[in-house]
């Protein structure tokens, strides 16, 4: 039995296949891609930004960004098709975050792990110290006449 699902775009039921949206929506996306590609391929438009492409073609910025992200619009040919990093707004051409923000997040994760290890060690040390103190206390008490 083919698996049916609602198209996330138009809510119509469709057979879930390779595409995440229904045929009609997929076709629409393809048409929009063609519109964008036809526009940007022209020599005078190659340096257009996403906003300029959007204004000229009326294709949604999100969709143009998706084409860029999917690598369908090659940035070696269209150098200004960048979009803002979701964290700092830097111009990027892949993923959702710029390299700096991705590094920062990775470092943050690593720092988090380090912090946890540090706290574990600190707790162990405190426990050890406490045991030493109480041992010492016993000794002092014992040594008192
Ligand atoms: Zn649809
Ligand atoms: Zn960033």
């Amino acid at each position: 039995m083919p698996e049916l699902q609602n198209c996330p775009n138009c809510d119509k039921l469709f057979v879930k296949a390779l595409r995440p949206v229904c045929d009609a929506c997929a076709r629409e996306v393809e048409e929009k891609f063609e519109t964008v590609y036809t526009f940007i391929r022209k020599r005078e438009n190659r340096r257009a930004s996403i906003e300029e492409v959007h204004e000229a073609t009326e294709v949604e910025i999100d969709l143009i960004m998706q084409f860029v992200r999917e690598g369908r619009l090659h940035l070696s040919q269209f150098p200004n098709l960048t979009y803002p990093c979701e964290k700092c707004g830097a111009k990027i051409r892949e993923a959702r975050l710029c390299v700096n923000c991705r590094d920062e997040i990775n470092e943050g994760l690593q720092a988090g792990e380090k912090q946890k290890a540090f706290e574990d060690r600190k707790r162990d040390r405190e426990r050890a110290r406490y045991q030493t103190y109480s041992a010492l206390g016993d000794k002092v008490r014992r040594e008192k006449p």
Side-chain angles (χ1 to χ4, degrees), residues 7-12 14 21-26:
C7 171
N9 205 23
C10 69
D11 219 33
K12 226 166 48 193
F14 74 109
V21 293
C22 75
D23 279 353
C25 288

Side-chain angles (χ1 to χ4, degrees), residues 1-8 12-23:
M1 260 258 307
E3 200 183 332
L4 287 175
Q5 72 166 38
N6 288 93
C7 171
K12 226 166 48 193
L13 268 184
F14 74 109
V15 178
K16 192 179 168 186
L18 290 172
R19 274 195 285 265
V21 293
C22 75
D23 279 353

